[in-house]
Amino acid sequence: ECTNTELTRAEAEVVLVKLWAHSLGNVNIFVEHKCECGQVLQVPVSLDRANCSKKKPIIQELKGFKLVLKEPKLFDDSNVIQMILKSIDHISVGDEQIKLEDLTDVEQGDFYEAITNDIITELKNKLLESTVELAVPVICDCGKNSVLHLKGLTDFMRIL
């Protein structure tokens, strides 16, 4: 059982990809990449260079205040509402930063009323946006430059 739940979800994906690659002995592999000229290239990729995208703070503007969130931790995404609540760092009203637990009952009611289904969907998408990724520059024999971009566990699982 995994006991380090302090990793963010994206950091855990990076660890998983690197562990999987090492366990298979496939840390340095070749991945097919098709140039726009049509040539298929075998691009050398080092999976040890996989990382998670660095994100700016996650900020959601609401009626009269801003919601500032941190990235979800490993396993937090099993329940969307709980993930959002656990990810709230603070609420910004002007220059004041307020922790959710410091709100009065009336303020908490106003806060929950401001969170619509559309905002929940938007927050979920923002929170789950950071993922494992790797970008490798590619120069084709034709002279064109491009980038082989792997993003998300699906891309990495496909090549491993």
Side-chain angles (χ1 to χ4, degrees):
E1 182 176 321
C2 180
T3 58
N4 184 357
T5 57
E6 292 306 307
L7 290 174
T8 66
R9 189 178 149 278
E11 291 167 340
E13 288 178 356
V14 171
V15 170
L16 175 65
V17 165
K18 289 181 179 184
L19 284 172
W20 193 7
H22 279 276
S23 72
L24 295 174
N26 288 340
V27 176
N28 297 306
I29 61 173
F30 287 91
V31 177
E32 280 190 4
H33 177 73
K34 189 172 185 177
C35 178
E36 59 185 63
C37 74
Q39 185 175 356
V40 177
L41 305 164
Q42 294 296 319
V43 179
V45 173
S46 175
L47 295 174
D48 271 338
R49 300 184 63 90
N51 214 327
C52 52
S53 50
K54 296 294 180 206
K55 290 186 53 150
K56 305 177 271 183
I58 303 165
I59 299 173
Q60 179 71 40
E61 303 250 356
L62 297 168
K63 299 177 200 167
F65 62 93
K66 292 179 187 176
L67 196 55
V68 180
L69 301 108
K70 53 191 183 254
E71 288 193 43
K73 300 291 183 199
L74 180 60
F75 306 122
D76 280 355
D77 60 341
S78 60
N79 180 311
V80 173
I81 300 298
Q82 286 301 314
M83 174 184 65
I84 291 169
L85 291 174
K86 284 181 176 181
S87 297
I88 296 172
D89 186 58
H90 65 273
I91 296 169
S92 257
V93 181
D95 291 335
E96 189 177 4
Q97 294 182 358
I98 306 164
K99 294 287 186 186
L100 193 56
E101 59 269 13
D102 293 336
L103 295 176
T104 65
D105 290 343
V106 171
E107 291 170 331
Q108 281 185 7
D110 291 343
F111 169 74
Y112 290 124
E113 283 181 22
I115 308 294
T116 64
N117 285 336
D118 288 342
I119 290 173
I120 289 170
T121 301
E122 201 173 320
L123 286 170
K124 175 187 139 205
N125 292 339
K126 285 181 179 182
L127 288 169
L128 297 178
E129 188 176 356
S130 185
T131 188
V132 61
E133 64 182 309
L134 177 63
V136 180
V138 178
I139 301 172
C140 183
D141 295 335
C142 74
K144 294 190 191 255
N145 295 325
S146 62
V147 176
L148 168 66
H149 191 234
L150 302 170
K151 185 172 183 175
L153 277 177
T154 304
D155 280 357
F156 285 90
M157 300 304 162
R158 181 179 48 78
I159 64 170
L160 285 170

